[in-house]
Amino acid sequence: MEAGGPWLGKKSYLELLQSELDDWVLSQEVEAAEEIPAGPSADTLNDADVFYTVEGEEVCQCSDTGEAYDKIAALAEYLLKDQQEKPVEELFGSLAVEEAFAEGPKGQAEGKKRRNRSEAPKAKRRKAGPDACLSKDPVSNLLQPDFHVQFLVTTIGPDREPAKAPGPSGNPHLEYCLLSPKDIQVILTFEPIVQQVAWPSKLGVTDSNSCPGEGVPSEADNQNSCPDPSLEQTPKRPDPVETFCAELRHLYAQGDPSLDPFYTETIFSELPLETKWGGSCDPGNLEQKPKKTLFPWKEIFQIPVLTVGKEPNTRVIVVLGKSGAGKTSLSRKLASEWSFGEWPEFEFLFRFDCRKLKFHSARNLQELLLGHSALAPEQLREVYNYILQNPKKLLFIFDGFEKEQEGPVGAALAPLFQKKTLNGCTLLLLSRPKDKPQQHVPKPDKILEITGFSSQQIETYLGRYFESFPSGGGGQDFIRRSPYLFSHCSHPEMCHLICDSVSRTFDKEPPSTKSITKLIAKSLLKKTNLKHQSLTNLAQTAWDLAQSGQSTFSSICFESKDVQEFALDRRIVVPLPEDPVSKMEGCETFAFFSFAVQNFFLALHLVLAKEIKDKKLTKYLNLFPKAKKSLRSSWDFVPCFLSGLLFSDETFGEDSEKLVSKKRKNFSKYIRKLPIQCFTPEQLLKLFHCVRETEDEYLLRHLALQLRPEISFSGLSLAPSDVCVLGSVLKSAAKGITLDFRGSSIHLEGLVELFGTENVSGVRASLGQTVPLWRHLWESGEEGRLRSAMKKASTLPFKAQTMKDLQDLSALVQLQQEMSAGGCKAQCIPAIADLQKVEFTLGPLYGLKGFRKLVPILEAFPSLRHLDLDSPKENEIGDEGILAFREVLPRLRSLETLNLSRNKIMDRGAVALSAALPDLPALKTLSLYKNSIGDAGAGKLAETLPRIHSLKVLDIHCNKITASGAQRLTEALKNCPWVQSLALWSPTIPHGVLDHLQQLDPRIRLL
């Protein structure tokens, strides 16, 4: 016999293990071997390694298959923890951590324990115990898994059943079975953790202290899953952390002089995540909210998150708003409130002005966050470690987040936006809506838009501003009585500028002008001996800042102390405190009070600069008839201020009057030559604002007479000031103007004003706009204006693309019912009486649900002739939709065309539909293309066809009709001489049969 027996000398150890030899026979041959080879051959090295073990300083062969199974389990465990396989690491999470908890400190000793030859190999199991669910270390809590893993290595018995591994009460003496390569099983069992969704009071994050395996929480526990902060004992923070937080709160509590002392909360609109910054979403899911929904700003950080088993993730909230809409004021308000103890869910708040970050000298994130502190380096390291361990308690505010940060600061912030550092913090990004988002910014969890002040908020702001003035009531009434000024107060910065100008020019008599530009010019030049060159100095400073892209300047830019005192007294500029995270070296720093003020001085520079004239001047009006590079978004008010200054009666210097007069003539000539028929809606609105600000009746009349008969503002968001200037232009226009506001955003007061304009003969708007308008006029008792608004409104045809559209249609029918019950003289709303076509395209996800909502209100439309349920997305109303429809269908007496194509209608639906079709006296066209109708449905249609005397066209091709069903339809067609066409082709009908049927009746169409 060869060394090691006949089998041991010919095969590798892994081949022997996979062979059909009995384990006892194999062990006998190993013991009978006279010597073990010094080393395995090259071709068996990798296979044999798992059957060797190290005892002391010697390498010994595994004496039994049980230890071999231990090594296979260790090998599999090693593969799961391979750091180079990142997807595997992310999938199994903290498997190693759970094993350590489950096995205890004696886990390794237990793994090396040898079994008796008579024992079957024990199954290797890894299961997390309850203590592994929650670690006292905050860093360990971040590694909690989303599921539990059971790891099992076992064998297959003789009957292909898994061998029972011995447990605490199991029998360790199992029968041996012959092994083959298919007899080894590696089983991974995943137990997912039940996840919940909670809405906390402010920050949408809730920690759960429950562990999987401790029982399923009750409904009461789920409802109260958010712990009460008052009942929790917050662990004491290290002293350096307390000192740093005190420093940070002190810096933000100092007060910002540029923050409006009459700050009033603005309106927020929540936008769907498909808006520029987000991905796509199904438009049919807008069931309870329109495109924009009002949002209370105190809930800005409220986000639904998974509260159990969910790894902390950085929350990204984007706030969009035009220049001067109040984004900077919002960021400063949040920082100020945090410094006084509000927003307790955040222990740290860092506010960055992105326009100043390029001046920062920080080389990394630690220097950027802690560079302003006076703590020692050792203490700062302790503070930074605490921050790294508690990312959920951090709030970062980035104001002016339009341009990508470059240089060292950009490199320091990149890991933050990529969620590689401080994952779990909250990012608040404030940006202008026209600017493109930065590429490295993650997908936002919420997108908000600042839409400005409502009418009530304007009244609140005016009351706060004028309550301290002796003639405050007069100034407030002056603004309220001027629709032009009041509408511009919906813009927060413009509201402050108007109030400041009126308060300085209003004495006993109100100002003679209602132009915003002229009011500002009067307020600057009133009661001052300052020379006009000082205004030129401020205008030059504003121009230099705009050209360099900066927002701050030093005191050396002032020509004299008198100019500086004048600018501070009139609140043209404000001194800036030391920025806690963006310190700038040098002398005292200033900034213009607002974008609106800076825009005014930019326009003043354009008027007074001798080198800017003719085409160089008119290009800053931004009124290009063709697509050209427009002005930057921070210059939004420059065209209006430029137009107003050119027509102002004020003089800004001895030599300026002749220069301004020449530029005014060039401006008028330029406006008269503009081809406004080619203008886009946005360009038209800009032009209306510029001409209205001049207060020149000739230009306004010339512009109004050049308008097209049909003007579309579809898809635009119209501010109150846009509606006001549009109304002033339309009053001078010719009669017969038609406006289109479909898909646009316009406030109710604006619709009331435009519908009441005499020169407007028609308004195309959605039901979501017109129904609230009609209800408002009806509840106000203005039946005359109600009848006029109903007559002018055009909502036809109606196309249901979202659930919101169906809600609007239901609201229209409900309004009609309430008006009829209330004895309104307007007997029937024209939108109901004249509706002839309804298109339904909700798609498969909301098709059946939406159709069930549409069916009960269809009979309210007496003139309905065309019902189209065919959609490229396939509505899929199915048989259930037809069964709900058949009850209403006989009452649609005017219906001429019924298109039910591509809706997955089967025989059951076709039978139900056939029973209702004879009751339609006006039906001419029936389309059932591309459904799943078979011979049973086709036979029922064949029986019904001779009784539908008005039917002209029947389209039933691309169904599941066979030759039998086609033959029955052809026979029925002989008794229907009024039918002009029958589309019958189907892949289940043989071509020869189709050709034969077409020869019998040429009215049968194939393709």
Side-chain angles (χ1 to χ4, degrees):
M1 179 181 294
E2 297 180 6
W7 297 97
L8 191 61
K10 297 180 181 179
K11 296 182 177 293
S12 66
Y13 288 100
L14 185 57
E15 292 175 343
L16 290 173
L17 180 63
Q18 297 175 349
S19 65
E20 299 180 354
L21 286 178
D22 188 275
D23 293 351
W24 184 84
V25 176
L26 179 63
S27 61
Q28 291 295 325
E29 290 205 7
V30 171
E31 291 179 353
E34 297 180 358
E35 62 178 8
I36 299 177
S41 60
D43 58 337
T44 62
L45 179 61
N46 294 332
D47 295 338
D49 282 348
V50 295
F51 296 98
Y52 286 94
T53 184
V54 179
E55 296 183 358
E57 299 180 355
E58 298 180 358
V59 179
C60 303
Q61 181 185 11
C62 297
S63 61
D64 59 73
T65 57
E67 187 173 357
Y69 276 99
D70 281 344
K71 299 186 73 64
I72 292 175
L75 176 61
E77 183 177 346
Y78 171 79
L79 293 176
L80 291 179
K81 296 192 295 183
D82 189 1
Q83 298 297 327
Q84 295 180 356
E85 297 291 332
K86 292 186 178 180
V88 175
E89 179 187 15
E90 294 174 359
L91 177 64
F92 290 98
S94 53
L95 180 61
V97 178
E98 294 187 358
E99 290 179 1
F101 280 108
E103 289 184 350
K106 297 182 180 181
Q108 294 180 355
E110 294 173 0
K112 290 186 177 181
K113 182 179 178 180
R114 295 194 176 190
R115 300 184 184 88
N116 191 285
R117 288 195 189 106
S118 62
E119 291 183 79
K122 293 185 178 181
K124 301 289 291 182
R125 295 181 179 269
R126 302 292 185 264
K127 187 172 182 179
D131 295 336
C133 296
L134 185 64
S135 174
K136 297 181 180 180
D137 187 2
V139 178
S140 301
N141 287 337
L142 302 181
L143 301 177
Q144 294 184 18
D146 295 342
F147 48 81
H148 293 296
V149 179
Q150 290 186 357
F151 180 72
L152 175 64
V153 178
T154 185
T155 61
I156 301 296
D159 297 329
R160 309 309 299 169
E161 296 291 332
K164 297 181 180 179
S169 59
N171 183 9
H173 303 287
L174 299 177
E175 297 181 0
Y176 292 108
C177 59
L178 296 179
L179 298 177
S180 67
K182 299 181 179 179
D183 292 330
I184 300 177
Q185 283 189 346
V186 180
I187 304 173
L188 292 175
T189 304
F190 300 87
E191 298 179 2
I193 301 175
V194 180
Q195 300 177 346
Q196 308 173 18
V197 177
W199 292 84
S201 59
K202 285 189 179 180
L203 180 64
V205 178
T206 305
D207 295 329
S208 176
N209 295 329
S210 62
C211 298
E214 294 182 356
V216 180
S218 63
E219 293 183 2
D221 295 334
N222 291 336
Q223 294 176 358
N224 302 319
S225 59
C226 184
D228 187 358
S230 61
L231 301 178
E232 296 181 357
Q233 294 183 357
T234 305
K236 185 179 180 181
R237 298 181 297 188
D239 291 339
V241 177
E242 294 286 351
T243 304
F244 176 79
C245 287
E247 289 180 349
L248 200 58
R249 292 183 185 274
H250 175 72
L251 287 170
Y252 289 127
Q254 287 180 350
D256 194 335
S258 60
L259 180 62
D260 193 347
F262 313 106
Y263 179 82
T264 303
E265 297 178 3
T266 57
I267 298 177
F268 283 85
S269 295
E270 185 174 8
L271 306 180
L273 295 181
E274 62 186 359
T275 309
K276 290 186 178 181
W277 290 72
S280 60
C281 66
D282 192 340
N285 196 15
L286 303 177
E287 180 173 359
Q288 298 294 338
K289 60 183 181 180
K291 185 178 180 180
K292 296 182 180 180
T293 56
L294 299 184
F295 190 87
W297 84 281
K298 281 293 184 181
E299 300 177 6
I300 188 173
F301 300 112
Q302 196 174 82
I303 301 173
V305 295
L306 296 174
T307 59
V308 180
K310 182 69 176 180
E311 223 176 274
N313 197 11
T314 298
R315 291 164 296 280
V316 181
I317 301 159
V318 176
V319 177
L320 305 175
K322 296 181 179 180
S323 300
K327 302 185 299 297
T328 301
S329 298
L330 172 65
S331 67
R332 292 167 177 167
K333 183 69 174 178
L334 287 173
S336 177
E337 289 182 348
W338 176 82
S339 66
F340 289 104
E342 296 191 41
W343 310 102
E345 61 268 34
F346 300 113
E347 291 188 19
F348 304 92
L349 184 147
F350 297 96
R351 177 182 172 273
F352 298 93
D353 188 344
C354 296
R355 293 174 291 268
K356 301 178 185 177
L357 281 178
K358 59 184 178 181
F359 301 106
H360 208 291
S361 58
R363 295 168 295 179
N364 51 53
L365 186 59
Q366 179 178 350
E367 292 184 6
L368 188 64
L369 301 182
L370 314 180
H372 67 280
S373 177
L375 295 176
E378 297 79 7
Q379 295 175 317
L380 290 178
R381 281 194 292 270
E382 185 175 357
V383 172
Y384 190 65
N385 290 333
Y386 182 86
I387 291 175
L388 292 177
Q389 295 175 5
N390 298 273
K392 293 193 295 183
K393 301 177 181 179
L394 270 68
L395 171 61
F396 293 93
I397 302 177
F398 292 91
D399 185 24
F401 195 77
E402 288 91 28
K403 297 182 179 180
E404 188 171 355
Q405 299 297 325
E406 300 177 352
V409 175
L413 291 175
L416 181 66
F417 296 123
Q418 297 170 1
K419 302 182 181 181
K420 296 180 179 179
T421 301
L422 299 175
N423 189 19
C425 67
T426 302
L427 301 178
L428 180 61
L429 312 179
L430 299 102
S431 174
R432 302 187 186 106
K434 294 182 180 180
D435 296 298
K436 296 181 180 179
Q438 300 181 21
Q439 296 181 355
H440 62 269
V441 177
K443 181 180 178 180
D445 301 290
K446 181 183 292 186
I447 302 179
L448 304 176
E449 183 180 15
I450 301 179
T451 56
F453 288 153
S454 64
S455 298
Q456 293 78 7
Q457 290 170 330
I458 295 175
E459 294 285 356
T460 302
Y461 189 93
L462 295 179
R464 291 177 181 177
Y465 188 94
F466 287 102
E467 64 182 357
S468 59
F469 288 89
S471 59
Q476 184 175 354
D477 292 339
F478 173 75
I479 297 175
R480 190 185 294 113
R481 289 194 303 266
S482 172
Y484 181 71
L485 296 179
F486 190 84
S487 65
H488 277 81
C489 286
S490 62
H491 193 284
E493 285 196 2
M494 190 63 75
C495 183
H496 176 85
L497 192 56
I498 292 173
C499 292
D500 188 63
S501 302
V502 171
S503 64
R504 295 182 186 276
T505 56
F506 193 94
D507 290 332
K508 296 181 180 180
E509 296 293 333
S512 59
T513 179
K514 294 182 180 179
S515 168
I516 300 174
T517 310
K518 297 176 183 179
L519 281 174
I520 299 173
K522 284 182 178 295
S523 67
L524 290 177
L525 298 176
K526 188 174 182 179
K527 295 181 181 179
T528 178
N529 296 323
L530 192 66
K531 295 182 178 180
H532 295 92
Q533 287 81 356
S534 299
L535 291 178
T536 306
N537 173 216
L538 293 174
Q540 184 65 48
T541 302
W543 179 261
D544 293 339
L545 289 178
Q547 295 300 311
S548 61
Q550 301 179 17
S551 59
T552 59
F553 59 95
S554 61
S555 56
I556 59 175
C557 295
F558 295 116
E559 289 184 350
S560 64
K561 277 289 183 182
D562 293 337
V563 177
Q564 179 176 336
E565 292 176 0
F566 168 78
L568 291 173
D569 178 66
R570 299 300 172 93
R571 290 183 69 82
I572 299 172
V573 300
V574 290
L576 295 181
E578 183 179 354
D579 198 307
V581 295
S582 303
K583 296 188 297 184
M584 294 179 60
E585 300 179 357
C587 51
E588 192 175 3
T589 305
F590 295 87
F592 281 92
F593 180 79
S594 65
F595 277 107
V597 174
Q598 186 176 358
N599 279 194
F600 177 84
F601 281 95
L602 280 171
L604 183 60
H605 175 79
L606 295 174
V607 171
L608 300 179
K610 297 180 180 179
E611 67 276 8
I612 300 178
K613 55 185 178 180
D614 299 334
K615 291 184 179 180
K616 291 184 179 180
L617 177 67
T618 54
K619 77 173 184 178
Y620 291 103
L621 292 173
N622 201 22
L623 299 175
F624 306 113
K626 297 182 180 180
K628 293 184 179 180
K629 185 178 180 181
S630 60
L631 296 178
R632 62 190 70 177
S633 56
S634 59
W635 291 40
D636 288 343
F637 303 120
V638 170
C640 291
F641 287 146
L642 176 58
S643 304
L645 285 172
L646 290 174
F647 286 80
S648 175
D649 297 332
E650 303 294 333
T651 57
F652 300 95
E654 298 177 356
D655 301 332
S656 64
E657 186 173 356
K658 185 177 180 180
L659 177 64
V660 173
S661 177
K662 185 178 180 179
K663 290 186 177 182
R664 184 189 306 123
K665 292 179 181 179
N666 292 333
F667 173 86
S668 300
K669 184 178 179 181
Y670 174 77
I671 294 296
R672 291 195 300 268
K673 290 186 176 181
L674 284 175
I676 64 174
Q677 291 82 6
C678 303
F679 274 29
T680 63
E682 297 91 336
Q683 292 168 341
L684 269 181
L685 287 177
K686 291 178 183 178
L687 180 59
F688 293 165
H689 278 283
C690 292
V691 175
R692 174 59 183 84
E693 192 64 23
T694 63
E695 292 187 321
D696 188 287
E697 293 296 334
Y698 174 77
L699 284 179
L700 188 65
R701 178 69 176 172
H702 171 80
L703 177 64
L705 294 177
Q706 297 294 320
L707 292 178
R708 299 188 301 267
E710 296 183 1
I711 307 175
S712 174
F713 298 97
S714 179
L716 293 183
S717 179
L718 277 73
S721 56
D722 297 330
V723 177
C724 182
V725 298
L726 176 60
S728 63
V729 174
L730 291 176
K731 290 177 182 178
S732 303
K735 294 184 179 181
I737 299 294
T738 301
L739 303 177
D740 188 354
F741 295 114
R742 290 175 296 180
S744 63
S745 174
I746 182 172
H747 61 292
L748 181 61
E749 293 83 357
L751 279 176
V752 172
E753 178 183 352
L754 294 175
F755 268 91
T757 305
E758 294 183 1
N759 296 337
V760 175
S761 60
V763 179
R764 294 178 182 173
S766 64
L767 288 178
Q769 297 168 331
T770 54
V771 173
L773 169 67
W774 296 336
R775 180 173 290 278
H776 169 75
L777 295 176
W778 175 60
E779 293 176 350
S780 302
E782 304 179 65
E783 293 193 7
R785 300 182 66 181
L786 175 60
R787 287 193 295 269
S788 175
M790 288 182 176
K791 184 178 180 181
K792 291 181 179 181
S794 174
T795 59
L796 310 177
F798 177 77
K799 189 173 185 178
Q801 295 179 299
T802 66
M803 293 294 291
K804 178 65 173 55
D805 296 333
L806 295 175
Q807 287 183 350
D808 295 336
L809 191 65
S810 300
L812 175 65
V813 175
Q814 183 180 0
L815 177 62
Q816 173 67 72
Q817 296 172 353
E818 293 178 6
M819 291 172 60
S820 301
C824 182
K825 294 182 180 179
Q827 296 180 356
C828 186
I829 300 176
I832 290 181
D834 301 335
L835 182 63
Q836 298 183 5
K837 183 177 181 180
V838 173
E839 298 182 39
F840 185 89
T841 58
L842 261 69
L845 189 58
Y846 298 94
L848 179 59
K849 182 179 179 181
F851 187 65
R852 285 175 173 171
K853 194 167 187 176
L854 174 66
V855 165
I857 60 177
L858 283 176
E859 57 182 322
F861 304 99
S863 302
L864 181 61
R865 297 182 179 180
H866 190 160
L867 181 59
D868 188 355
L869 275 73
D870 184 14
S871 172
K873 297 183 293 185
E874 298 190 5
N875 296 312
E876 298 184 6
I877 63 171
D879 292 345
E880 295 184 19
I882 296 299
L883 293 176
F885 185 40
R886 68 176 177 179
E887 302 296 333
V888 180
L889 186 58
R891 295 191 286 272
L892 304 181
R893 310 296 293 178
S894 301
L895 190 64
E896 297 179 355
T897 301
L898 178 59
N899 190 347
L900 297 172
S901 301
R902 294 188 286 192
N903 277 286
K904 292 192 174 180
I905 301 173
M906 304 178 73
D907 286 338
R908 183 186 176 195
V911 170
L913 179 66
S914 300
L917 289 177
D919 297 327
L920 298 177
L923 185 64
K924 296 180 179 179
T925 302
L926 175 63
S927 178
L928 295 169
Y929 153 73
K930 202 175 181 180
N931 282 288
S932 300
I933 301 174
D935 290 339
K940 189 63 178 179
L941 282 173
E943 295 177 8
T944 309
L945 198 59
R947 292 186 290 154
I948 312 176
H949 299 285
S950 60
L951 189 65
K952 303 295 183 182
V953 177
L954 175 61
D955 187 351
I956 197 172
H957 77 285
C958 288
N959 278 272
K960 295 183 178 180
I961 302 173
T962 63
S964 174
Q967 182 67 32
R968 295 186 63 181
L969 285 170
T970 305
E971 292 293 333
L973 196 60
K974 296 179 181 179
N975 302 322
C976 303
W978 54 83
V979 177
Q980 299 175 357
S981 173
L982 172 62
L984 193 58
W985 183 90
S986 178
T988 54
I989 303 175
H991 291 285
V993 174
L994 287 173
D995 293 338
H996 174 69
L997 295 178
Q998 191 178 31
Q999 291 176 2
L1000 293 177
D1001 196 326
R1003 291 175 295 175
I1004 296 177
R1005 293 189 298 108
L1006 300 183
L1007 287 178

